[in-house]
PDB file of all heavy atoms in Angstrom:
ATOM      1  N   LEU A 164     -20.974  -5.561 -12.205  1.00  0.00           N
ATOM      2  CA  LEU A 164     -22.016  -4.934 -13.050  1.00  0.00           C
ATOM      3  C   LEU A 164     -21.966  -5.552 -14.463  1.00  0.00           C
ATOM      4  O   LEU A 164     -20.904  -5.718 -14.926  1.00  0.00           O
ATOM      5  CB  LEU A 164     -22.006  -3.510 -13.036  1.00  0.00           C
ATOM      6  CG  LEU A 164     -21.989  -2.729 -11.704  1.00  0.00           C
ATOM      7  CD1 LEU A 164     -21.888  -1.259 -11.853  1.00  0.00           C
ATOM      8  CD2 LEU A 164     -23.239  -3.105 -10.954  1.00  0.00           C
ATOM      9  N   ILE A 167     -23.122  -2.671 -20.275  1.00  0.00           N
ATOM     10  CA  ILE A 167     -24.278  -1.862 -20.709  1.00  0.00           C
ATOM     11  C   ILE A 167     -24.497  -2.110 -22.142  1.00  0.00           C
ATOM     12  O   ILE A 167     -25.570  -2.275 -22.697  1.00  0.00           O
ATOM     13  CB  ILE A 167     -24.020  -0.297 -20.519  1.00  0.00           C
ATOM     14  CG1 ILE A 167     -23.780  -0.036 -19.101  1.00  0.00           C
ATOM     15  CG2 ILE A 167     -25.092   0.583 -21.235  1.00  0.00           C
ATOM     16  CD1 ILE A 167     -23.371   1.507 -18.751  1.00  0.00           C
ATOM     17  N   LYS A 173     -20.740   0.102 -16.619  1.00  0.00           N
ATOM     18  CA  LYS A 173     -21.048   1.337 -16.093  1.00  0.00           C
ATOM     19  C   LYS A 173     -19.825   2.049 -15.447  1.00  0.00           C
ATOM     20  O   LYS A 173     -19.697   3.254 -15.695  1.00  0.00           O
ATOM     21  CB  LYS A 173     -22.016   1.107 -14.985  1.00  0.00           C
ATOM     22  CG  LYS A 173     -22.600   2.438 -14.274  1.00  0.00           C
ATOM     23  CD  LYS A 173     -23.681   1.969 -13.150  1.00  0.00           C
ATOM     24  CE  LYS A 173     -24.218   3.164 -12.479  1.00  0.00           C
ATOM     25  NZ  LYS A 173     -25.266   2.775 -11.567  1.00  0.00           N
ATOM     26  N   LEU A 177     -18.532   5.755 -16.318  1.00  0.00           N
ATOM     27  CA  LEU A 177     -18.396   6.837 -15.301  1.00  0.00           C
ATOM     28  C   LEU A 177     -16.989   7.373 -15.220  1.00  0.00           C
ATOM     29  O   LEU A 177     -16.728   8.571 -15.029  1.00  0.00           O
ATOM     30  CB  LEU A 177     -18.667   6.228 -13.944  1.00  0.00           C
ATOM     31  CG  LEU A 177     -20.176   5.882 -13.703  1.00  0.00           C
ATOM     32  CD1 LEU A 177     -20.391   5.134 -12.341  1.00  0.00           C
ATOM     33  CD2 LEU A 177     -21.087   7.068 -13.904  1.00  0.00           C
ATOM     34  N   TYR A 247     -17.793  10.693  -5.562  1.00  0.00           N
ATOM     35  CA  TYR A 247     -19.105  11.239  -5.344  1.00  0.00           C
ATOM     36  C   TYR A 247     -20.129  10.739  -6.385  1.00  0.00           C
ATOM     37  O   TYR A 247     -21.367  10.883  -6.195  1.00  0.00           O
ATOM     38  CB  TYR A 247     -19.078  12.771  -5.590  1.00  0.00           C
ATOM     39  CG  TYR A 247     -18.577  13.447  -4.209  1.00  0.00           C
ATOM     40  CD1 TYR A 247     -17.492  14.252  -4.165  1.00  0.00           C
ATOM     41  CD2 TYR A 247     -19.299  13.072  -2.992  1.00  0.00           C
ATOM     42  CE1 TYR A 247     -17.098  14.839  -2.963  1.00  0.00           C
ATOM     43  CE2 TYR A 247     -18.855  13.636  -1.760  1.00  0.00           C
ATOM     44  CZ  TYR A 247     -17.823  14.587  -1.825  1.00  0.00           C
ATOM     45  OH  TYR A 247     -17.408  15.039  -0.572  1.00  0.00           O
ATOM     46  N   TYR A 248     -19.746   9.940  -7.340  1.00  0.00           N
ATOM     47  CA  TYR A 248     -20.716   9.098  -8.125  1.00  0.00           C
ATOM     48  C   TYR A 248     -21.563   8.277  -7.147  1.00  0.00           C
ATOM     49  O   TYR A 248     -22.711   7.827  -7.469  1.00  0.00           O
ATOM     50  CB  TYR A 248     -20.045   8.258  -9.113  1.00  0.00           C
ATOM     51  CG  TYR A 248     -19.551   8.978 -10.386  1.00  0.00           C
ATOM     52  CD1 TYR A 248     -18.410   8.554 -11.049  1.00  0.00           C
ATOM     53  CD2 TYR A 248     -20.229  10.065 -10.937  1.00  0.00           C
ATOM     54  CE1 TYR A 248     -17.959   9.201 -12.160  1.00  0.00           C
ATOM     55  CE2 TYR A 248     -19.782  10.620 -12.035  1.00  0.00           C
ATOM     56  CZ  TYR A 248     -18.601  10.262 -12.677  1.00  0.00           C
ATOM     57  OH  TYR A 248     -18.170  10.865 -13.745  1.00  0.00           O
ATOM     58  N   GLY A 249     -20.964   7.867  -6.006  1.00  0.00           N
ATOM     59  CA  GLY A 249     -21.686   6.924  -5.162  1.00  0.00           C
ATOM     60  C   GLY A 249     -22.867   7.439  -4.510  1.00  0.00           C
ATOM     61  O   GLY A 249     -23.732   6.718  -3.981  1.00  0.00           O
ATOM     62  N   ILE A 250     -23.053   8.796  -4.449  1.00  0.00           N
ATOM     63  CA  ILE A 250     -24.233   9.357  -3.849  1.00  0.00           C
ATOM     64  C   ILE A 250     -25.143  10.106  -4.869  1.00  0.00           C
ATOM     65  O   ILE A 250     -26.075  10.738  -4.574  1.00  0.00           O
ATOM     66  CB  ILE A 250     -23.909  10.319  -2.688  1.00  0.00           C
ATOM     67  CG1 ILE A 250     -22.880  11.430  -3.139  1.00  0.00           C
ATOM     68  CG2 ILE A 250     -23.278   9.516  -1.553  1.00  0.00           C
ATOM     69  CD1 ILE A 250     -22.722  12.497  -2.167  1.00  0.00           C
ATOM     70  N   VAL A 251     -24.820   9.945  -6.134  1.00  0.00           N
ATOM     71  CA  VAL A 251     -25.604  10.702  -7.169  1.00  0.00           C
ATOM     72  C   VAL A 251     -26.689   9.734  -7.600  1.00  0.00           C
ATOM     73  O   VAL A 251     -26.459   8.666  -8.093  1.00  0.00           O
ATOM     74  CB  VAL A 251     -24.676  11.115  -8.453  1.00  0.00           C
ATOM     75  CG1 VAL A 251     -25.572  11.624  -9.516  1.00  0.00           C
ATOM     76  CG2 VAL A 251     -23.606  12.039  -8.093  1.00  0.00           C
ATOM     77  N   PRO A 252     -27.937  10.186  -7.420  1.00  0.00           N
ATOM     78  CA  PRO A 252     -29.092   9.262  -7.823  1.00  0.00           C
ATOM     79  C   PRO A 252     -28.941   8.834  -9.301  1.00  0.00           C
ATOM     80  O   PRO A 252     -28.444   9.568 -10.269  1.00  0.00           O
ATOM     81  CB  PRO A 252     -30.249  10.205  -7.656  1.00  0.00           C
ATOM     82  CG  PRO A 252     -29.929  11.272  -6.782  1.00  0.00           C
ATOM     83  CD  PRO A 252     -28.411  11.542  -6.894  1.00  0.00           C
ATOM     84  N   LEU A 253     -29.338   7.547  -9.451  1.00  0.00           N
ATOM     85  CA  LEU A 253     -29.220   6.822 -10.744  1.00  0.00           C
ATOM     86  C   LEU A 253     -27.811   6.312 -11.010  1.00  0.00           C
ATOM     87  O   LEU A 253     -27.675   5.207 -11.579  1.00  0.00           O
ATOM     88  CB  LEU A 253     -29.780   7.651 -11.954  1.00  0.00           C
ATOM     89  CG  LEU A 253     -31.242   8.147 -11.740  1.00  0.00           C
ATOM     90  CD1 LEU A 253     -31.584   8.987 -13.049  1.00  0.00           C
ATOM     91  CD2 LEU A 253     -32.148   7.008 -11.636  1.00  0.00           C
ATOM     92  N   LEU A 254     -26.784   7.083 -10.706  1.00  0.00           N
ATOM     93  CA  LEU A 254     -25.459   6.674 -10.972  1.00  0.00           C
ATOM     94  C   LEU A 254     -25.037   5.684  -9.772  1.00  0.00           C
ATOM     95  O   LEU A 254     -24.808   4.499  -9.954  1.00  0.00           O
ATOM     96  CB  LEU A 254     -24.423   7.821 -10.984  1.00  0.00           C
ATOM     97  CG  LEU A 254     -24.700   8.794 -12.137  1.00  0.00           C
ATOM     98  CD1 LEU A 254     -23.746   9.840 -12.175  1.00  0.00           C
ATOM     99  CD2 LEU A 254     -24.680   8.088 -13.521  1.00  0.00           C
ATOM    100  N   GLN A 255     -25.018   6.216  -8.608  1.00  0.00           N
ATOM    101  CA  GLN A 255     -24.769   5.489  -7.348  1.00  0.00           C
ATOM    102  C   GLN A 255     -23.858   4.345  -7.475  1.00  0.00           C
ATOM    103  O   GLN A 255     -24.095   3.175  -7.006  1.00  0.00           O
ATOM    104  CB  GLN A 255     -26.206   4.947  -6.858  1.00  0.00           C
ATOM    105  CG  GLN A 255     -27.150   6.089  -6.532  1.00  0.00           C
ATOM    106  CD  GLN A 255     -28.560   5.594  -6.126  1.00  0.00           C
ATOM    107  OE1 GLN A 255     -29.114   4.799  -6.806  1.00  0.00           O
ATOM    108  NE2 GLN A 255     -29.043   5.967  -5.001  1.00  0.00           N
ATOM    109  N   PHE A 256     -22.616   4.741  -7.955  1.00  0.00           N
ATOM    110  CA  PHE A 256     -21.584   3.680  -7.903  1.00  0.00           C
ATOM    111  C   PHE A 256     -20.199   4.368  -7.978  1.00  0.00           C
ATOM    112  O   PHE A 256     -19.797   5.002  -8.904  1.00  0.00           O
ATOM    113  CB  PHE A 256     -21.652   2.824  -9.175  1.00  0.00           C
ATOM    114  CG  PHE A 256     -20.689   1.626  -9.151  1.00  0.00           C
ATOM    115  CD1 PHE A 256     -21.203   0.449  -8.522  1.00  0.00           C
ATOM    116  CD2 PHE A 256     -19.491   1.660  -9.641  1.00  0.00           C
ATOM    117  CE1 PHE A 256     -20.325  -0.709  -8.455  1.00  0.00           C
ATOM    118  CE2 PHE A 256     -18.597   0.623  -9.580  1.00  0.00           C
ATOM    119  CZ  PHE A 256     -19.056  -0.608  -8.999  1.00  0.00           C
ATOM    120  N   PRO A 257     -19.444   4.358  -6.765  1.00  0.00           N
ATOM    121  CA  PRO A 257     -18.211   4.866  -6.677  1.00  0.00           C
ATOM    122  C   PRO A 257     -17.159   4.089  -7.619  1.00  0.00           C
ATOM    123  O   PRO A 257     -16.982   2.992  -7.211  1.00  0.00           O
ATOM    124  CB  PRO A 257     -17.780   4.946  -5.273  1.00  0.00           C
ATOM    125  CG  PRO A 257     -18.685   3.822  -4.634  1.00  0.00           C
ATOM    126  CD  PRO A 257     -19.851   3.799  -5.493  1.00  0.00           C
ATOM    127  N   HIS A 335     -19.650   1.805   0.136  1.00  0.00           N
ATOM    128  CA  HIS A 335     -20.705   1.511  -0.710  1.00  0.00           C
ATOM    129  C   HIS A 335     -21.451   0.249  -0.256  1.00  0.00           C
ATOM    130  O   HIS A 335     -22.699   0.125  -0.338  1.00  0.00           O
ATOM    131  CB  HIS A 335     -20.217   1.319  -2.131  1.00  0.00           C
ATOM    132  CG  HIS A 335     -21.188   1.236  -3.215  1.00  0.00           C
ATOM    133  ND1 HIS A 335     -22.201   2.204  -3.502  1.00  0.00           N
ATOM    134  CD2 HIS A 335     -21.571   0.203  -4.084  1.00  0.00           C
ATOM    135  CE1 HIS A 335     -22.938   1.870  -4.424  1.00  0.00           C
ATOM    136  NE2 HIS A 335     -22.680   0.667  -4.721  1.00  0.00           N
TER     137      HIS A 335
END
Side-chain angles (χ1 to χ4, degrees):
L164 302 180
I167 299 173
K173 183 177 180 178
L177 293 179
Y247 279 123
Y248 283 149
I250 56 169
V251 175
L253 300 179
L254 301 180
Q255 291 176 312
F256 189 89
H335 190 63

